[in-house]
Short mmCIF file of all heavy atoms in Angstrom, two decimals:
data_model
loop_
_atom_site.label_atom_id
_atom_site.label_comp_id
_atom_site.label_asym_id
_atom_site.label_seq_id
_atom_site.Cartn_x
_atom_site.Cartn_y
_atom_site.Cartn_z
N MET S 3 94.56 90.44 59.72
CA MET S 3 95.86 90.14 60.21
C MET S 3 97.04 90.25 59.17
O MET S 3 96.70 89.79 57.99
CB MET S 3 95.76 88.70 60.85
CG MET S 3 96.96 87.83 60.45
SD MET S 3 96.59 86.00 60.65
CE MET S 3 97.18 85.66 62.19
N SER S 4 97.88 91.01 59.37
CA SER S 4 98.86 91.38 58.35
C SER S 4 99.94 90.29 58.30
O SER S 4 100.34 89.81 59.43
CB SER S 4 99.47 92.72 58.61
OG SER S 4 99.97 92.74 59.93
N ALA S 5 100.31 89.94 57.09
CA ALA S 5 101.27 88.85 56.97
C ALA S 5 102.77 89.38 57.35
O ALA S 5 103.52 88.56 57.91
CB ALA S 5 101.25 88.29 55.56
N TYR S 6 102.94 90.55 57.06
CA TYR S 6 104.35 91.04 57.37
C TYR S 6 104.24 92.28 58.17
O TYR S 6 103.66 93.30 57.81
CB TYR S 6 105.01 91.29 56.04
CG TYR S 6 106.44 91.95 56.28
CD1 TYR S 6 107.42 91.09 56.92
CD2 TYR S 6 106.75 93.20 55.95
CE1 TYR S 6 108.52 91.61 57.21
CE2 TYR S 6 107.99 93.62 56.16
CZ TYR S 6 108.97 92.93 56.64
OH TYR S 6 110.22 93.40 56.88
N ASN S 7 104.92 92.28 59.39
CA ASN S 7 104.98 93.47 60.23
C ASN S 7 106.38 94.02 60.19
O ASN S 7 107.31 93.55 60.77
CB ASN S 7 104.55 93.06 61.67
CG ASN S 7 103.15 93.52 62.07
OD1 ASN S 7 102.68 94.53 61.36
ND2 ASN S 7 102.58 92.90 63.01
N PRO S 8 106.51 95.06 59.56
CA PRO S 8 107.84 95.69 59.54
C PRO S 8 108.21 96.37 60.88
O PRO S 8 107.44 96.97 61.40
CB PRO S 8 107.77 96.81 58.39
CG PRO S 8 106.29 97.10 58.37
CD PRO S 8 105.63 95.83 58.78
N PRO S 9 109.39 96.06 61.37
CA PRO S 9 109.86 96.65 62.62
C PRO S 9 109.88 98.21 62.46
O PRO S 9 110.41 98.70 61.59
CB PRO S 9 111.16 96.09 62.90
CG PRO S 9 111.62 95.62 61.45
CD PRO S 9 110.44 95.26 60.73
N THR S 10 109.36 98.89 63.51
CA THR S 10 109.31 100.26 63.59
C THR S 10 110.72 100.89 63.64
O THR S 10 111.03 101.84 63.16
CB THR S 10 108.51 100.87 64.71
OG1 THR S 10 108.74 100.10 65.80
CG2 THR S 10 107.00 100.57 64.29
N GLN S 11 111.56 100.09 64.41
CA GLN S 11 112.91 100.50 64.62
C GLN S 11 113.96 99.46 64.16
O GLN S 11 113.88 98.29 64.68
CB GLN S 11 113.23 100.98 66.03
CG GLN S 11 112.74 102.26 66.35
CD GLN S 11 113.21 102.83 67.69
OE1 GLN S 11 113.49 101.96 68.50
NE2 GLN S 11 113.40 104.18 67.91
N THR S 12 114.68 99.72 63.12
CA THR S 12 115.79 98.79 62.75
C THR S 12 117.00 98.94 63.54
O THR S 12 117.49 100.03 63.79
CB THR S 12 116.08 98.98 61.22
OG1 THR S 12 116.05 100.38 60.98
CG2 THR S 12 114.88 98.37 60.37
N GLY S 13 117.48 97.82 63.96
CA GLY S 13 118.79 97.81 64.66
C GLY S 13 118.46 98.24 66.15
O GLY S 13 117.40 98.63 66.49
N GLY S 14 119.39 98.01 67.03
CA GLY S 14 119.12 98.30 68.48
C GLY S 14 119.85 99.53 68.90
O GLY S 14 120.38 99.70 70.05
N ALA S 15 119.94 100.53 67.88
CA ALA S 15 120.57 101.72 68.28
C ALA S 15 119.63 102.73 69.05
O ALA S 15 118.78 103.35 68.55
CB ALA S 15 121.06 102.49 67.10
N THR S 16 119.77 102.67 70.38
CA THR S 16 118.88 103.53 71.21
C THR S 16 119.62 104.83 71.19
O THR S 16 120.71 104.98 71.65
CB THR S 16 118.67 103.02 72.52
OG1 THR S 16 119.95 102.46 73.03
CG2 THR S 16 117.67 101.97 72.63
N SER S 17 118.88 105.98 70.73
CA SER S 17 119.53 107.17 70.60
C SER S 17 119.48 108.04 71.81
O SER S 17 120.31 108.87 72.03
CB SER S 17 118.94 107.87 69.39
OG SER S 17 117.47 108.01 69.63
N HIS S 18 118.59 107.62 72.66
CA HIS S 18 118.55 108.50 73.88
C HIS S 18 119.61 108.20 74.96
O HIS S 18 119.59 106.95 75.33
CB HIS S 18 117.07 108.57 74.49
CG HIS S 18 116.69 107.22 74.96
ND1 HIS S 18 116.22 106.21 74.25
CD2 HIS S 18 116.70 106.66 76.25
CE1 HIS S 18 115.96 105.15 74.94
NE2 HIS S 18 116.22 105.34 76.21
N THR S 19 120.34 109.03 75.27
CA THR S 19 121.35 108.83 76.21
C THR S 19 120.90 109.14 77.64
O THR S 19 120.37 110.06 77.91
CB THR S 19 122.56 109.76 75.81
OG1 THR S 19 122.19 110.98 75.53
CG2 THR S 19 123.36 109.19 74.70
N GLN S 20 121.34 108.24 78.53
CA GLN S 20 121.00 108.29 79.90
C GLN S 20 122.10 109.14 80.55
O GLN S 20 123.24 108.84 80.16
CB GLN S 20 120.76 106.98 80.50
CG GLN S 20 119.56 106.25 79.96
CD GLN S 20 119.39 104.96 80.75
OE1 GLN S 20 120.24 104.27 81.15
NE2 GLN S 20 118.12 104.43 80.75
N PRO S 21 121.76 109.94 81.50
CA PRO S 21 122.76 110.64 82.22
C PRO S 21 123.61 109.72 83.09
O PRO S 21 123.00 108.83 83.79
CB PRO S 21 121.92 111.53 83.13
CG PRO S 21 120.53 110.92 83.09
CD PRO S 21 120.33 110.19 81.87
N THR S 22 124.82 109.90 82.93
CA THR S 22 125.68 108.97 83.67
C THR S 22 125.82 109.49 85.19
O THR S 22 126.34 110.46 85.43
CB THR S 22 127.12 108.92 83.03
OG1 THR S 22 127.39 110.13 82.34
CG2 THR S 22 127.26 107.80 82.08
N ILE S 23 125.18 108.57 85.95
CA ILE S 23 125.24 108.75 87.44
C ILE S 23 126.55 107.97 87.94
O ILE S 23 126.61 106.76 87.52
CB ILE S 23 124.04 108.44 88.09
CG1 ILE S 23 122.92 108.97 87.25
CG2 ILE S 23 124.03 109.08 89.57
CD1 ILE S 23 121.54 108.32 87.66
N SER S 24 127.26 108.50 88.82
CA SER S 24 128.41 107.70 89.43
C SER S 24 127.55 106.65 90.38
O SER S 24 127.22 107.00 91.55
CB SER S 24 129.23 108.59 90.22
OG SER S 24 128.50 109.54 91.01
N VAL S 25 127.48 105.47 89.94
CA VAL S 25 126.61 104.51 90.55
C VAL S 25 127.36 104.15 91.92
O VAL S 25 126.66 104.00 92.86
CB VAL S 25 126.53 103.28 89.80
CG1 VAL S 25 125.64 102.18 90.47
CG2 VAL S 25 125.84 103.61 88.48
N SER S 26 128.63 104.15 91.95
CA SER S 26 129.40 103.70 93.10
C SER S 26 129.12 104.66 94.22
O SER S 26 129.22 104.31 95.35
CB SER S 26 130.88 103.68 92.85
OG SER S 26 131.26 104.94 92.40
N ASP S 27 128.67 105.87 93.83
CA ASP S 27 128.38 106.89 95.03
C ASP S 27 126.97 106.85 95.40
O ASP S 27 126.70 106.94 96.56
CB ASP S 27 128.93 108.23 94.51
CG ASP S 27 129.43 109.01 95.61
OD1 ASP S 27 130.10 108.43 96.44
OD2 ASP S 27 129.04 110.21 95.74
N THR S 28 126.17 106.79 94.41
CA THR S 28 124.66 106.98 94.71
C THR S 28 124.02 105.65 95.13
O THR S 28 123.01 105.73 95.76
CB THR S 28 124.07 107.71 93.46
OG1 THR S 28 124.45 106.94 92.35
CG2 THR S 28 124.20 109.08 93.47
N ALA S 29 124.49 104.53 94.65
CA ALA S 29 123.87 103.35 94.86
C ALA S 29 124.02 102.86 96.42
O ALA S 29 123.37 102.00 96.79
CB ALA S 29 124.37 102.32 94.03
N ARG S 30 125.00 103.47 97.00
CA ARG S 30 125.22 102.99 98.44
C ARG S 30 124.20 103.77 99.37
O ARG S 30 124.17 104.85 99.37
CB ARG S 30 126.65 103.53 98.77
CG ARG S 30 127.51 102.39 98.92
CD ARG S 30 129.00 102.94 99.33
NE ARG S 30 129.98 102.32 98.43
CZ ARG S 30 131.20 102.71 98.39
NH1 ARG S 30 131.52 103.89 99.16
NH2 ARG S 30 131.91 102.13 97.61
N SER S 31 123.50 102.90 100.06
CA SER S 31 122.61 103.45 101.00
C SER S 31 123.04 103.03 102.35
O SER S 31 123.67 102.00 102.67
CB SER S 31 121.24 102.77 100.77
OG SER S 31 121.29 101.43 100.90
N VAL S 32 122.87 103.88 103.29
CA VAL S 32 123.47 103.76 104.59
C VAL S 32 122.19 103.53 105.54
O VAL S 32 121.19 104.21 105.44
CB VAL S 32 124.14 105.04 105.01
CG1 VAL S 32 124.86 104.78 106.53
CG2 VAL S 32 125.14 105.36 104.00
N GLU S 33 122.27 102.63 106.34
CA GLU S 33 121.22 102.40 107.32
C GLU S 33 121.31 103.28 108.57
O GLU S 33 122.35 103.32 109.22
CB GLU S 33 121.36 100.95 107.76
CG GLU S 33 121.06 99.95 106.76
CD GLU S 33 119.52 99.91 106.34
OE1 GLU S 33 118.72 99.91 107.27
OE2 GLU S 33 119.36 99.87 105.22
N TYR S 34 120.26 103.94 108.77
CA TYR S 34 120.14 104.75 109.94
C TYR S 34 118.98 104.34 110.97
O TYR S 34 118.06 103.60 110.44
CB TYR S 34 119.80 106.17 109.59
CG TYR S 34 120.93 106.87 108.82
CD1 TYR S 34 120.97 106.96 107.44
CD2 TYR S 34 121.93 107.44 109.36
CE1 TYR S 34 121.92 107.60 106.74
CE2 TYR S 34 122.91 108.03 108.76
CZ TYR S 34 122.94 108.10 107.39
OH TYR S 34 123.99 108.71 106.66
N THR S 35 119.13 104.70 112.10
CA THR S 35 117.97 104.46 113.06
C THR S 35 117.45 105.74 113.53
O THR S 35 118.24 106.64 114.05
CB THR S 35 118.50 103.61 114.26
OG1 THR S 35 119.06 102.39 113.79
CG2 THR S 35 117.28 103.21 115.07
N CYS S 36 116.17 105.90 113.51
CA CYS S 36 115.55 107.13 113.87
C CYS S 36 115.80 107.28 115.39
O CYS S 36 115.62 106.40 116.26
CB CYS S 36 114.02 107.21 113.49
SG CYS S 36 113.22 108.66 114.06
N GLY S 37 116.18 108.57 115.87
CA GLY S 37 116.36 108.84 117.24
C GLY S 37 115.09 109.05 117.98
O GLY S 37 115.12 109.11 119.27
N ASP S 38 114.03 109.06 117.29
CA ASP S 38 112.84 109.28 117.90
C ASP S 38 111.83 108.09 117.96
O ASP S 38 111.41 107.75 119.05
CB ASP S 38 112.07 110.46 117.27
CG ASP S 38 111.05 111.11 117.97
OD1 ASP S 38 111.07 111.24 119.17
OD2 ASP S 38 109.82 111.40 117.44
N CYS S 39 111.64 107.50 116.79
CA CYS S 39 110.66 106.41 116.75
C CYS S 39 111.37 105.08 116.53
O CYS S 39 110.78 103.99 116.54
CB CYS S 39 109.62 106.66 115.67
SG CYS S 39 110.27 106.42 113.97
N ASP S 40 112.74 105.18 116.41
CA ASP S 40 113.52 103.92 116.36
C ASP S 40 113.31 103.20 115.13
O ASP S 40 113.54 101.88 115.06
CB ASP S 40 113.24 103.00 117.57
CG ASP S 40 114.51 102.60 118.30
OD1 ASP S 40 115.49 103.44 118.18
OD2 ASP S 40 114.50 101.64 118.95
N ALA S 41 112.81 103.81 114.06
CA ALA S 41 112.52 103.08 112.86
C ALA S 41 113.88 102.98 112.09
O ALA S 41 114.73 103.87 112.15
CB ALA S 41 111.53 103.79 112.03
N ALA S 42 113.97 102.00 111.36
CA ALA S 42 115.09 101.80 110.42
C ALA S 42 114.91 102.63 109.18
O ALA S 42 113.91 102.36 108.40
CB ALA S 42 115.41 100.32 110.12
N VAL S 43 115.85 103.44 108.93
CA VAL S 43 115.83 104.31 107.70
C VAL S 43 117.04 104.15 106.92
O VAL S 43 118.13 104.22 107.40
CB VAL S 43 115.69 105.78 108.09
CG1 VAL S 43 115.37 106.68 106.89
CG2 VAL S 43 114.59 105.92 109.10
N SER S 44 116.91 103.79 105.59
CA SER S 44 117.98 103.58 104.75
C SER S 44 118.04 104.63 103.72
O SER S 44 117.12 104.94 103.10
CB SER S 44 117.94 102.21 104.02
OG SER S 44 116.85 102.25 103.09
N LEU S 45 119.03 105.47 103.80
CA LEU S 45 119.21 106.69 102.96
C LEU S 45 120.35 106.57 102.03
O LEU S 45 121.42 106.03 102.52
CB LEU S 45 119.38 107.96 103.85
CG LEU S 45 118.20 108.27 104.74
CD1 LEU S 45 118.65 109.43 105.65
CD2 LEU S 45 117.00 108.67 103.89
N LYS S 46 120.12 106.98 100.84
CA LYS S 46 121.33 107.03 99.98
C LYS S 46 122.05 108.42 100.19
O LYS S 46 121.53 109.26 100.78
CB LYS S 46 120.78 106.89 98.51
CG LYS S 46 120.25 105.51 98.16
CD LYS S 46 119.70 105.55 96.82
CE LYS S 46 119.10 104.18 96.63
NZ LYS S 46 118.24 104.09 95.35
N ARG S 47 123.20 108.42 99.47
CA ARG S 47 123.94 109.69 99.54
C ARG S 47 123.21 110.73 98.80
O ARG S 47 122.76 110.59 97.76
CB ARG S 47 125.29 109.42 98.98
CG ARG S 47 126.21 108.70 99.82
CD ARG S 47 127.67 109.09 99.42
NE ARG S 47 128.53 108.69 100.48
CZ ARG S 47 129.89 108.83 100.46
NH1 ARG S 47 130.34 109.55 99.38
NH2 ARG S 47 130.66 108.49 101.26
N GLY S 48 123.20 111.80 99.54
CA GLY S 48 122.56 113.01 98.94
C GLY S 48 121.11 113.19 99.37
O GLY S 48 120.54 114.23 99.18
N GLU S 49 120.53 112.17 99.97
CA GLU S 49 119.20 112.29 100.29
C GLU S 49 119.19 112.91 101.72
O GLU S 49 120.08 112.79 102.55
CB GLU S 49 118.66 110.80 100.50
CG GLU S 49 118.23 110.28 99.16
CD GLU S 49 117.38 108.98 99.40
OE1 GLU S 49 117.70 108.08 100.17
OE2 GLU S 49 116.25 108.87 98.73
N PRO S 50 118.20 113.71 102.06
CA PRO S 50 118.11 114.33 103.34
C PRO S 50 117.97 113.42 104.48
O PRO S 50 117.16 112.42 104.37
CB PRO S 50 116.85 115.25 103.13
CG PRO S 50 115.95 114.58 102.08
CD PRO S 50 117.00 113.86 101.20
N ILE S 51 118.62 113.75 105.60
CA ILE S 51 118.60 112.99 106.70
C ILE S 51 117.30 113.22 107.38
O ILE S 51 117.00 114.27 107.96
CB ILE S 51 119.76 113.36 107.62
CG1 ILE S 51 121.08 113.18 106.98
CG2 ILE S 51 119.64 112.43 108.92
CD1 ILE S 51 121.56 111.72 106.86
N ARG S 52 116.37 112.28 107.35
CA ARG S 52 115.03 112.46 107.88
C ARG S 52 114.44 111.14 107.92
O ARG S 52 114.42 110.22 107.10
CB ARG S 52 114.29 113.45 106.98
CG ARG S 52 113.10 114.01 107.66
CD ARG S 52 112.37 114.89 106.75
NE ARG S 52 111.13 115.33 107.23
CZ ARG S 52 110.20 115.91 106.49
NH1 ARG S 52 110.41 116.06 105.25
NH2 ARG S 52 109.08 116.27 107.08
N CYS S 53 113.75 110.88 109.06
CA CYS S 53 112.89 109.66 109.25
C CYS S 53 111.79 109.60 108.31
O CYS S 53 111.11 110.66 108.12
CB CYS S 53 112.51 109.55 110.63
SG CYS S 53 111.48 108.05 111.03
N ARG S 54 111.51 108.52 107.76
CA ARG S 54 110.40 108.39 106.82
C ARG S 54 109.08 108.20 107.56
O ARG S 54 108.04 108.34 106.90
CB ARG S 54 110.63 107.26 105.82
CG ARG S 54 111.57 107.78 104.73
CD ARG S 54 112.07 106.66 103.85
NE ARG S 54 113.15 107.02 103.04
CZ ARG S 54 113.99 106.26 102.39
NH1 ARG S 54 113.77 104.96 102.48
NH2 ARG S 54 114.92 106.70 101.69
N SER S 55 109.17 107.66 108.73
CA SER S 55 107.91 107.42 109.35
C SER S 55 107.33 108.69 110.15
O SER S 55 106.18 108.89 110.31
CB SER S 55 107.94 106.18 110.28
OG SER S 55 109.30 105.76 110.25
N CYS S 56 108.34 109.32 110.91
CA CYS S 56 107.86 110.36 111.70
C CYS S 56 108.45 111.78 111.41
O CYS S 56 107.98 112.76 111.88
CB CYS S 56 108.29 110.14 113.20
SG CYS S 56 109.92 110.21 113.57
N GLY S 57 109.43 111.75 110.49
CA GLY S 57 109.95 113.06 109.97
C GLY S 57 110.93 113.67 110.91
O GLY S 57 111.35 114.72 110.72
N HIS S 58 111.42 112.83 111.78
CA HIS S 58 112.52 113.28 112.75
C HIS S 58 113.72 113.40 112.02
O HIS S 58 114.08 112.74 111.16
CB HIS S 58 112.57 112.28 113.87
CG HIS S 58 113.19 112.86 115.08
ND1 HIS S 58 112.62 113.83 115.86
CD2 HIS S 58 114.43 112.55 115.67
CE1 HIS S 58 113.40 114.11 116.88
NE2 HIS S 58 114.47 113.38 116.83
N ARG S 59 114.52 114.50 112.46
CA ARG S 59 115.76 114.73 111.76
C ARG S 59 117.04 114.25 112.36
O ARG S 59 118.05 114.45 112.07
CB ARG S 59 115.90 116.21 111.51
CG ARG S 59 114.90 116.67 110.40
CD ARG S 59 115.44 117.87 109.75
NE ARG S 59 114.69 118.46 108.72
CZ ARG S 59 113.73 119.37 108.88
NH1 ARG S 59 113.47 119.96 110.07
NH2 ARG S 59 112.90 119.70 107.88
N VAL S 60 116.76 113.58 113.54
CA VAL S 60 118.03 113.08 114.17
C VAL S 60 117.98 111.56 113.90
O VAL S 60 117.18 110.73 114.38
CB VAL S 60 117.99 113.32 115.71
CG1 VAL S 60 119.15 112.72 116.32
CG2 VAL S 60 117.82 114.76 115.97
N LEU S 61 119.07 111.13 113.20
CA LEU S 61 119.12 109.76 112.84
C LEU S 61 120.50 109.18 113.30
O LEU S 61 121.48 109.94 113.34
CB LEU S 61 119.07 109.52 111.37
CG LEU S 61 117.74 109.89 110.79
CD1 LEU S 61 117.76 109.62 109.22
CD2 LEU S 61 116.52 109.34 111.36
N TYR S 62 120.48 107.93 113.89
CA TYR S 62 121.76 107.40 114.23
C TYR S 62 122.25 106.38 113.09
O TYR S 62 121.58 105.54 112.67
CB TYR S 62 121.56 106.61 115.55
CG TYR S 62 121.18 107.44 116.70
CD1 TYR S 62 119.77 107.73 116.85
CD2 TYR S 62 122.04 108.09 117.52
CE1 TYR S 62 119.37 108.57 117.93
CE2 TYR S 62 121.63 108.86 118.59
CZ TYR S 62 120.38 109.04 118.82
OH TYR S 62 119.98 109.91 119.77
N LYS S 63 123.49 106.61 112.87
CA LYS S 63 124.07 105.64 111.87
C LYS S 63 124.23 104.30 112.58
O LYS S 63 124.80 104.27 113.61
CB LYS S 63 125.46 106.24 111.56
CG LYS S 63 125.68 106.03 109.98
CD LYS S 63 126.95 106.89 109.66
CE LYS S 63 127.02 107.04 108.10
NZ LYS S 63 128.28 107.78 107.79
N GLN S 64 123.76 103.27 111.88
CA GLN S 64 123.71 102.01 112.56
C GLN S 64 125.17 101.36 112.48
O GLN S 64 125.38 100.62 113.56
CB GLN S 64 122.77 100.97 111.81
CG GLN S 64 121.39 101.42 111.99
CD GLN S 64 120.37 100.33 111.44
OE1 GLN S 64 120.80 99.32 110.85
NE2 GLN S 64 119.11 100.51 111.69
N ARG S 65 125.97 101.70 111.74
CA ARG S 65 127.26 101.10 111.69
C ARG S 65 128.04 101.58 112.82
O ARG S 65 128.78 101.02 113.56
CB ARG S 65 128.00 101.49 110.31
CG ARG S 65 127.64 100.39 109.24
CD ARG S 65 128.56 100.74 108.14
NE ARG S 65 128.38 99.80 106.96
CZ ARG S 65 128.95 99.88 105.78
NH1 ARG S 65 129.62 101.00 105.54
NH2 ARG S 65 128.73 99.06 104.97
N THR S 66 128.12 103.05 112.89
CA THR S 66 129.17 103.60 113.78
C THR S 66 128.57 104.09 115.01
O THR S 66 129.20 104.45 115.88
CB THR S 66 129.83 104.90 113.06
OG1 THR S 66 128.61 105.72 112.66
CG2 THR S 66 130.51 104.45 111.72
N ASN S 67 127.20 104.09 115.07
CA ASN S 67 126.48 104.54 116.25
C ASN S 67 126.82 105.95 116.53
O ASN S 67 126.72 106.43 117.57
CB ASN S 67 126.93 103.67 117.55
CG ASN S 67 126.19 102.46 117.51
OD1 ASN S 67 125.08 102.27 116.89
ND2 ASN S 67 126.78 101.38 118.23
N ARG S 68 127.15 106.66 115.45
CA ARG S 68 127.57 108.12 115.60
C ARG S 68 126.27 108.90 115.23
O ARG S 68 125.65 108.62 114.24
CB ARG S 68 128.70 108.47 114.71
CG ARG S 68 129.11 109.92 114.83
CD ARG S 68 130.15 110.08 113.76
NE ARG S 68 130.28 111.60 113.46
CZ ARG S 68 130.93 112.04 112.49
NH1 ARG S 68 131.48 111.28 111.56
NH2 ARG S 68 131.06 113.34 112.34
N MET S 69 126.01 109.91 116.02
CA MET S 69 124.81 110.57 115.76
C MET S 69 124.96 111.55 114.68
O MET S 69 125.93 112.22 114.54
CB MET S 69 124.32 111.48 117.10
CG MET S 69 122.94 111.96 116.91
SD MET S 69 122.49 112.74 118.46
CE MET S 69 123.06 114.31 118.18
N VAL S 70 124.02 111.59 113.68
CA VAL S 70 124.05 112.52 112.57
C VAL S 70 122.75 113.37 112.82
O VAL S 70 121.72 112.98 112.65
CB VAL S 70 124.01 111.78 111.26
CG1 VAL S 70 124.02 112.77 110.18
CG2 VAL S 70 125.08 110.74 111.15
N GLN S 71 123.06 114.60 112.89
CA GLN S 71 121.95 115.59 113.15
C GLN S 71 121.97 116.63 112.16
O GLN S 71 122.98 117.28 111.98
CB GLN S 71 122.04 116.11 114.54
CG GLN S 71 120.89 117.05 114.93
CD GLN S 71 120.87 117.42 116.46
OE1 GLN S 71 121.68 117.19 117.15
NE2 GLN S 71 119.79 118.04 116.88
N PHE S 72 120.80 116.88 111.60
CA PHE S 72 120.61 117.97 110.62
C PHE S 72 119.53 118.89 111.34
O PHE S 72 118.46 118.58 111.47
CB PHE S 72 120.16 117.56 109.33
CG PHE S 72 121.31 117.12 108.50
CD1 PHE S 72 122.21 116.02 108.90
CD2 PHE S 72 121.41 117.66 107.21
CE1 PHE S 72 123.11 115.64 108.06
CE2 PHE S 72 122.50 117.25 106.50
CZ PHE S 72 123.36 116.25 106.78
N GLU S 73 120.06 120.17 111.55
CA GLU S 73 119.19 121.04 112.31
C GLU S 73 118.32 121.73 111.22
O GLU S 73 118.83 121.86 110.05
CB GLU S 73 120.02 122.12 113.03
CG GLU S 73 120.73 121.36 114.23
CD GLU S 73 121.47 122.43 115.05
OE1 GLU S 73 120.97 123.69 115.07
OE2 GLU S 73 122.44 122.17 115.68
N ALA S 74 117.28 122.11 111.67
CA ALA S 74 116.37 122.85 110.68
C ALA S 74 116.93 124.23 110.44
O ALA S 74 117.42 124.86 111.26
CB ALA S 74 114.98 123.00 111.23
N ARG S 75 116.84 124.60 109.24
CA ARG S 75 117.42 125.80 108.69
C ARG S 75 116.55 127.00 109.38
O ARG S 75 115.31 127.09 109.28
CB ARG S 75 117.44 125.96 107.24
CG ARG S 75 118.62 125.20 106.72
CD ARG S 75 118.55 125.10 105.26
NE ARG S 75 117.63 124.03 104.97
CZ ARG S 75 117.26 123.67 103.65
NH1 ARG S 75 117.74 124.27 102.74
NH2 ARG S 75 116.49 122.70 103.40
ZN1 ZN I 274 111.19 108.40 113.30
#
């Protein structure tokens, strides 16, 4: 057992910079309801509109009840 353990890093200067993501935009997740299996799907912005349980691409926005459909390319 060593009496003295020198710290490997002095100070709290973390040099690795994290990419700044606009949290206000990406952290927001919207609740959808699958139009096929009726499962609740919460998707963040930028995520593909797709049911996680059945893979259906027609989801209903729970807030507005407006249908959001992404057709297959
Ligand atoms: Zn589904």
Side-chain angles (χ1 to χ4, degrees):
M3 134 199 267
S4 52
Y6 177 65
N7 255 338
T10 44
Q11 275 189 335
T12 41
T16 42
S17 49
H18 65 278
T19 42
Q20 289 182 339
T22 28
I23 318 163
S24 48
V25 183
S26 56
D27 211 42
T28 42
R30 246 177 233 171
S31 59
V32 188
E33 292 287 319
Y34 293 98
T35 306
C36 176
D38 194 41
C39 73
D40 233 24
V43 187
S44 68
L45 293 175
K46 290 175 187 174
R47 279 206 169 183
E49 283 190 310
I51 303 285
R52 200 178 166 196
C53 176
R54 277 172 193 163
S55 9
C56 73
H58 202 64
R59 284 206 181 96
V60 180
L61 300 181
Y62 297 91
K63 223 172 196 176
Q64 289 190 353
R65 272 184 179 175
T66 56
N67 283 335
R68 182 184 162 197
M69 195 176 84
V70 182
Q71 182 170 8
F72 274 58
E73 292 182 31
R75 282 168 283 180

